[in-house]
């Protein structure tokens, strides 16, 4: 029922752009102004999410880097203001800042209140978060002139805040299984929000975005790659830090990483078939996810030889093998050398963030984290671009699913069930479904 | 095992003639049990200073956690001040009185031959160390409280209760008769890793000249403890393209996992993964069957769980 409200802007788009066929005549691309907007929102909003969760956990733990995490969260908020200004002008950007900035304090207040067992402060912070959802939802509805309806907007923001809080609450209770399931769901949810929001913005000002759409198959692919890559980065840093300190929830973070691997594998399978997906998984885990695990253990164990060996596997072996894999899979649309360089850069940022963290240089570590996180969106763009160029027929038009989406993805209490259209990875799979047979043996 | 003992003769019995041996024992006077516990705790810590259990390295905080668990276990092994002794196998149900030593160094035994004496300066029953309860075998009037002690058999149970009703069960492990002058005092009264309770009475043909039995019967019993449970086997053992993963066993006393490659009845250890490491390893043989076990701080290994 409520889903209709978020669908509205998307359907509106279809009306604004009746000339789908016109677009299809040009080669599909992942880099349209609308897709760029969506990707920017993917980036800023999901970074906000990961930092918000981290910051709350760290504040609750009384971790030495809690302040640095909170500072990084605030920097992310500051980066959003110019993005808003570029669309809605300075005044609206100021308004945005006035609403958005304090809410990053509320979550911190909440974590502190829970840590101190101060129920009054906890209730106050929770109320502030709820007020924020209402206020920010209204802001978005107003800014988009109803292209994102107020109720749907409030609900989307509230759903996001619920994920952050649920993750945090479960973490505090030591129910790590729930904590990291919620964390993953909340991460997914962010990409639905950025899609809906970017859709509303482009529907509102089509000319500004050269009449391009946020929900072309190519844009969906880019967003799906963004999500998988960014989630990988966030989980990698979390698991390295938790593994090195022998944290109680380490096994659950690695479980979340395995879910990310499985999602990535499914995405690869939808383009390159099962055999390609198996190859992907083998390369992805051996000198990458497992090497990362070895790096964390070696640091925990103060085993310098182990540290060096694991780093070398990540920066050299994995970068070469995965670069080669991507080069071959995309038939050179992403040249192996370029892929290798990008992966090496990624591994450098992962390791550097971690090492700075271990060395206690927390501010620098979060700076590196933010750069490394941003890099994932460049990688998402580059990779999706190569795949689309390799398979132009596949990504020729806008998505039009054959059946209504299955929106019952969570349990009955899962607030986002009402606003999820299709998960981004799911869209990718649906969109690329008919490729499977053609590409199945490509990697032989 | 059943001890064959010489026939018993009447006579008042004092658990004596430990005189000579008592002196060395006194010199290394048994410290109060609590102190003893601490001493042993330290030596345990030293054993783990290399931070390993079996082949599994431990993180410092993990190692501290295990020490804490050990400490708690020790506490659970805290002894009690015995008030009553029951030995159903030989129909004994008697009071226990704390006793010290006589001037000549002998352990004192109650004058009343129907009650028993616990050597109070030594260990409490139930704590790590050898506690002692002694009783008369007979008197001029006839059989005394421990007259039938010699009939005990390995596996028989002895119940010790304190004033608050806390009850410990001891199980007979072995029985020895020693000449009173040559009994291994240190072994009978001294330190032990286990919670031992020695029951002592007299045995041997009554020596009228010396007014005592020549030998001492020592029934060694040990605290009956629940068998330590085997750790649970890891679940969700799964193989993907080239990796094997499983879920951690969420018990604080788990130190690691062993991964086996199965080959019919045989199993070959592939690798060991410490508890703090990632529960996911690369495997070289995609067609093989693997299984995982969990290992706890007592180096007990769980059942194997095969991959699905």
């Amino acid at each position: 029922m409520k889903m209709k409200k978020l669908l509205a802007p998307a359907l509106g788009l279809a009306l604004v752009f009746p000339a789908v066929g016109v677009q299809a005549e040009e080669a599909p691309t992942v880099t349209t102004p609308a897709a760029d907007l969506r990707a920017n929102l993917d980036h800023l909003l999901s970074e906000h999410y990961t930092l918000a969760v981290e910051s709350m956990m760290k504040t609750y733990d009384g971790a030495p880097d809690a302040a640095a995490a909170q500072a990084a969260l605030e920097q992310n908020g500051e980066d959003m203001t110019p993005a808003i200004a570029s669309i809605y002008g300075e005044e609206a950007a100021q308004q945005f800042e006035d609403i958005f900035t304090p809410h990053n304090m509320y979550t911190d207040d909440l974590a502190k209140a829970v840590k101190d067992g101060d129920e009054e402060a906890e209730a106050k912070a929770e109320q502030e978060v709820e007020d924020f959802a209402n206020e920010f939802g209204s802001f978005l509805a107003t800014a988009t002139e109803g292209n994102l309806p107020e109720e749907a907007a409030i609900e989307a923001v509230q759903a996001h805040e619920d994920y952050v809080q649920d993750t945090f609450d479960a973490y505090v209770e030591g129910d790590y299984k729930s904590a990291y399931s919620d964390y993953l769901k909340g991460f997914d949810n962010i990409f639905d929000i950025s899609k809906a929001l970017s859709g509303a913005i482009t529907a509102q000002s089509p000319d500004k975005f050269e009449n391009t759409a946020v929900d072309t198959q190519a844009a969906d692919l880019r967003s799906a790659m963004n999500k998988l890559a960014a989630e990988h980065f966030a989980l990698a840093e979390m698991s390295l830090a938790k593994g090195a300190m022998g944290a109680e929830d380490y096994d659950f973070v690695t479980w979340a990483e395995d879910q990310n691997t499985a999602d990535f594998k499914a995405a690869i399978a939808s383009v390159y078939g099962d055999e390609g997906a198996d190859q992907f998984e083998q390369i992805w885990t051996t000198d990458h996810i497992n090497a990362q695990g070895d790096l964390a253990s070696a640091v925990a164990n103060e085993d310098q030889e182990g540290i060096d060996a694991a780093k070398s596997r990540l920066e050299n072996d994995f970068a070469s093998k995965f670069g080669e894999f991507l080069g071959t899979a995309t038939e050179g649309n992403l040249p192996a050398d370029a892929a290798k360089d990008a992966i090496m850069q990624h591994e450098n940022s992962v390791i550097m963030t971690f090492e700075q963290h271990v060395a206690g240089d927390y501010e620098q570590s979060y700076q590196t984290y933010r750069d490394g996180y941003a890099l994932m969106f460049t990688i998402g763009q580059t990779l999706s671009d190569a795949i689309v160029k390799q398979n132009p027929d596949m990504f020729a038009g806008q998505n039009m699913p054959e059946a209504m989406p299955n929106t019952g993805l969570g349990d009955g209490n899962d607030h986002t069930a009402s606003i999820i259209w299709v998960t981004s990875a799911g869209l990718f799979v649906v969109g690329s479904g008919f490729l499977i047979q053609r590409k199945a043996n490509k990697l032989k | 095992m059943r001890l064959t003992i010489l026939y018993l003769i009447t006579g008042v019995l004092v658990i004596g003639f430990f005189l000579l041996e008592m002196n060395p024992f006194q010199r290394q006077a048994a410290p109060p049990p609590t102190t003893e516990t601490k001493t042993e705790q330290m030596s345990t810590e030293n054993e783990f200073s290399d931070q390993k259990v079996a082949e599994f390295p431990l993180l410092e905080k993990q190692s501290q956690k295990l020490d804490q668990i050990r400490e708690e276990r020790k506490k659970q092994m805290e002894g009690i001040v015995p008030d009553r002794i029951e030995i159903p196998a030989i129909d004994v149900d008697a009071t226990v009185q704390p006793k010290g030593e006589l001037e000549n160094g002998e352990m004192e035994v109650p004058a009343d031959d129907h009650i028993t004496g616990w050597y109070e300066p030594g260990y409490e029953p139930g704590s790590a160390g050898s506690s002692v309860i002694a009783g008369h075998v007979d008197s001029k009037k006839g059989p005394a409280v421990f007259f039938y002690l010699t009939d005990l058999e390995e596996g028989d149970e002895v119940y010790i209760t304190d004033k608050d009703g806390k009850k410990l069960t001891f199980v007979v492990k072995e029985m020895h008769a020693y000449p009173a002058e040559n009994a291994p005092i240190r072994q009978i009264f001294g330190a032990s890793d286990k919670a031992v309770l020695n029951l002592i009475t007299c045995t041997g043909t009554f020596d009228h000249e010396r007014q005592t039995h020549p030998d001492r019967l020592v029934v060694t019993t040990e605290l009956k403890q629940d068998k330590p449970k085997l750790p649970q086997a890891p679940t969700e053992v799964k193989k993907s393209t080239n990796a094997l993963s499983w879920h951690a066993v969420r018990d604080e006393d788990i130190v690691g996992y062993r991964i086996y490659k199965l080959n019919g009845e045989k199993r070959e250890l592939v690798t060991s993964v410490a508890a703090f490491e990632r529960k996911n390893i690369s495997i070289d043989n995609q067609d093989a069957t693997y299984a995982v076990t969990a290992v706890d701080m007592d180096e007990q290994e769980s059942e194997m769980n095969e991959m699905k």
Side-chain angles (χ1 to χ4, degrees):
Chain A
M1 354 158 261
K2 279 172 189 162
M3 178 188 77
K4 273 187 201 152
K5 287 175 187 129
L6 269 205
L7 275 180
L11 291 173
L13 268 185
L15 295 174
V16 173
F17 304 108
V20 172
V22 175
Q23 278 198 336
E25 281 172 17
E26 298 166 20
T29 171
V30 298
T31 52
T32 64
D36 288 346
L37 172 68
R38 180 176 171 184
N40 281 340
L41 291 178
D42 281 351
H43 172 196
L44 290 169
L45 296 178
S46 66
E47 187 186 50
H48 163 76
Y49 176 78
T50 66
L51 291 174
V53 172
E54 282 225 2
S55 165
M56 286 180 83
M57 285 178 174
K58 290 189 166 166
T59 298
Y60 175 75
D61 290 341
D65 56 340
Q70 179 66 20
L73 176 66
E74 285 163 19
Q75 285 160 14
N76 162 274
E78 285 162 23
D79 289 353
M80 288 190 194
T81 310
I84 300 286
S86 71
I87 303 165
Y88 295 116
E90 293 298 333
E91 203 180 319
Q94 188 55 51
Q95 228 183 332
F96 163 82
E97 207 175 270
D98 292 345
I99 300 171
F100 198 83
T101 306
H103 114 279
N104 282 331
M105 308 294 175
Y106 304 153
T107 46
D108 192 44
D109 290 347
L110 180 60
K112 277 185 189 134
V114 172
K115 178 182 166 62
D116 300 340
D118 183 344
E119 286 178 17
E120 204 177 309
E122 188 183 338
K124 181 169 173 266
E126 275 176 2
Q127 186 57 49
E128 281 170 337
V129 172
E130 200 180 321
D131 292 347
F132 161 75
N134 290 324
E135 209 180 341
F136 192 52
S138 299
F139 168 82
L140 292 176
T142 309
T144 60
E145 294 170 308
N147 278 287
L148 191 60
E150 185 172 7
E151 203 181 318
I154 291 172
E155 202 177 323
V157 178
Q158 187 61 57
H160 156 67
E161 296 301 340
D162 286 348
Y163 277 122
V164 173
Q165 267 185 51
D166 290 351
T167 302
F168 174 70
D169 289 345
Y171 177 76
V172 169
E173 282 161 24
D175 178 4
Y176 301 125
K177 198 176 172 191
S178 300
Y180 289 100
S181 309
D182 286 341
Y183 178 81
L184 292 180
K185 284 188 217 159
F187 201 87
D188 246 6
N189 169 254
I190 282 287
F191 288 77
D192 298 323
I193 292 178
S194 60
K195 182 179 183 182
L197 184 56
S198 60
I201 295 170
T202 51
Q204 180 189 11
S205 319
D207 291 349
K208 210 174 223 168
F209 298 94
E210 294 169 22
N211 298 334
T212 56
V214 297
D215 60 348
T216 60
Q217 288 175 335
D220 284 345
L221 175 68
R222 179 174 170 188
S223 184
M225 286 298 159
N226 283 345
K227 191 220 134 180
L228 291 168
E231 186 179 76
H232 157 63
F233 181 85
L235 291 172
E237 292 305 353
M238 219 187 255
S239 78
L240 278 167
K242 303 241 181 207
M245 65 185 279
E248 262 182 71
D249 54 337
Y250 175 59
D251 292 332
F252 297 86
V253 183
T254 62
W255 170 84
E257 278 190 297
D258 291 346
Q259 306 310 301
N260 174 266
T261 298
D263 287 349
F264 225 135
K265 186 183 179 185
I268 297 289
S270 72
V271 182
Y272 298 113
D274 289 341
E275 205 177 318
D278 282 351
Q279 277 190 31
F280 162 81
E281 187 181 36
Q282 186 159 349
I283 295 167
W284 182 263
T285 52
T286 309
D287 286 321
H288 183 218
I289 302 296
N290 285 347
Q292 217 180 267
D294 291 346
L295 176 58
S297 303
V299 168
N301 230 355
E302 292 168 12
D303 164 16
Q304 191 56 45
E305 242 172 71
I307 293 172
D308 295 342
K311 278 164 66 173
S312 169
R313 279 163 68 198
L314 288 165
E315 291 176 325
N316 301 320
D317 301 345
F318 173 63
S320 302
K321 284 178 198 161
F322 197 47
E324 199 176 313
F325 169 84
L326 292 175
T328 307
T330 62
E331 295 170 305
N333 279 285
L334 178 57
D337 281 347
K340 183 185 164 185
D341 288 347
I343 294 154
M344 216 185 262
Q345 220 183 323
H346 158 61
E347 292 307 334
N348 281 333
S349 71
V350 169
I351 292 168
M352 209 193 289
T353 303
F354 175 56
E355 288 190 329
Q356 287 163 346
H357 171 83
V358 171
D361 192 354
Y362 302 125
E363 268 173 45
Q364 190 54 54
S365 173
Y366 272 105
Q367 197 49 58
T368 314
Y369 180 102
R370 297 202 61 213
D371 293 344
Y373 195 80
L375 176 65
M376 301 319 282
F377 293 82
T378 311
I379 289 178
Q381 178 183 334
T382 310
L383 183 53
S384 58
D385 181 57
I387 294 173
V388 168
K389 284 195 175 126
Q390 180 190 16
N391 308 286
D393 298 350
M394 178 56 234
F395 300 93
Q398 282 180 240
N399 280 312
M400 203 54 68
E402 285 172 18
M404 284 303 282
N406 172 14
T407 45
L409 294 178
D411 58 32
N413 297 320
D414 189 341
H415 307 283
T416 48
S418 56
I419 70 154
I420 287 176
W421 186 6
V422 183
T423 67
S424 41
L427 258 182
F428 176 38
V429 173
V430 170
S432 323
F434 66 84
L435 255 190
I436 292 174
Q437 287 193 333
R438 270 202 312 159
K439 301 288 179 188
N441 297 319
K442 194 137 230 170
L443 292 169
K444 267 192 177 168
Chain B
M1 78 156 217
R2 179 159 175 92
L3 260 198
T4 51
I5 309 270
L6 296 176
Y7 42 87
L8 303 162
I9 303 180
T10 55
V12 176
L13 200 158
V14 172
I15 304 296
F17 286 90
F18 283 141
L19 179 61
L20 293 173
E21 284 81 1
M22 258 320 173
N23 289 332
F25 179 62
Q26 272 181 311
R27 243 179 272 132
Q28 53 137 38
T34 47
T35 314
E36 186 68 24
T37 307
K38 273 179 198 150
T39 313
E40 291 195 0
Q41 181 62 30
M42 279 173 60
S43 67
T44 310
E45 269 170 13
N46 290 339
E47 273 174 41
F48 285 89
S49 60
D50 60 347
Q51 309 222 327
K52 256 190 179 192
V53 172
E55 72 268 40
F56 303 103
L58 299 174
L59 298 185
E60 202 179 309
K61 69 175 179 184
Q62 204 181 351
S63 177
Q64 284 166 2
K65 183 77 217 174
L66 297 190
D67 284 344
Q68 212 180 323
I69 294 174
R70 278 183 206 107
E71 182 103 15
E72 275 160 23
R73 284 187 188 171
K74 286 258 176 180
K75 268 188 202 152
Q76 283 169 0
M77 262 180 80
E78 234 164 49
I80 60 173
V81 174
D83 182 56
R84 180 179 174 193
I85 179 168
E86 294 165 89
I87 313 175
I90 53 171
D91 284 329
V92 168
D93 184 349
T95 302
V96 185
Q97 280 182 352
K99 291 291 167 191
E101 288 150 32
L102 299 175
E103 276 179 19
N104 66 6
E106 284 177 9
M107 176 185 165
E108 190 190 355
V109 177
D112 183 339
D113 64 358
H114 290 288
I115 62 179
T116 60
W118 161 57
Y119 183 64
E120 191 184 17
Y123 295 94
E124 292 180 349
S127 67
S130 294
S131 57
V132 173
I133 291 178
H136 296 279
V137 66
D138 52 18
S139 72
K140 281 176 181 164
K141 293 176 209 156
V145 60
F146 274 176
F147 186 80
Y148 294 106
L149 208 59
T150 183
D151 292 340
L152 282 175
E153 291 180 25
E154 187 182 353
D156 284 341
E157 294 191 338
V158 177
Y159 307 125
I160 303 294
T161 317
D162 72 3
K163 278 207 161 58
D164 301 325
K166 188 178 172 191
K167 191 174 186 177
L168 299 178
T169 302
F170 292 81
V171 180
V172 175
K173 292 291 171 188
E174 52 190 65
M175 299 163 73
H176 287 290
Y178 304 102
E181 299 83 353
N182 291 316
I185 294 285
R186 225 174 266 190
Q187 187 187 315
I188 296 167
F189 286 81
S192 170
D193 289 342
K194 297 170 185 157
V196 172
L197 168 64
N198 286 317
L199 306 177
I200 303 177
T201 195
C202 284
T203 193
T205 311
F206 191 75
D207 183 337
H208 287 276
E209 204 173 305
R210 291 166 61 192
Q211 282 296 301
T212 184
H213 294 268
D215 299 329
R216 300 292 171 268
L217 171 64
V218 177
V219 177
T220 300
T221 72
E222 275 175 28
L223 184 66
K224 184 179 183 179
Q225 283 171 304
D226 297 335
K227 248 195 175 170
K229 271 190 203 152
L230 282 185
Q232 287 187 324
T235 56
E236 303 288 325
V237 180
K238 281 179 192 157
K239 190 170 71 170
S240 64
T241 324
N242 65 319
L244 188 76
S245 65
W246 62 97
H247 281 190
V249 176
R250 310 228 62 84
D251 280 324
E252 283 167 331
D253 63 347
I254 297 295
V255 294
Y257 304 86
R258 293 195 181 116
I259 292 82
Y260 297 95
K261 193 188 281 182
L262 302 184
N263 187 2
E265 291 293 292
K266 278 189 279 181
R267 65 180 198 181
E268 174 202 332
L269 182 67
V270 178
T271 188
S272 298
V273 170
F276 64 86
E277 293 182 299
R278 200 169 203 279
K279 281 86 197 159
N280 186 319
I281 55 153
S282 298
I283 47 176
D284 51 4
N285 187 343
Q286 289 190 33
D287 302 321
T289 303
Y290 293 86
V292 185
T293 62
V295 180
D296 70 14
M297 61 190 278
D298 303 314
E299 301 190 26
Q300 301 190 105
E301 192 168 8
S302 74
E303 306 262 301
M304 279 198 300
N305 224 345
E306 273 184 48
M307 64 183 209
K308 301 226 170 62

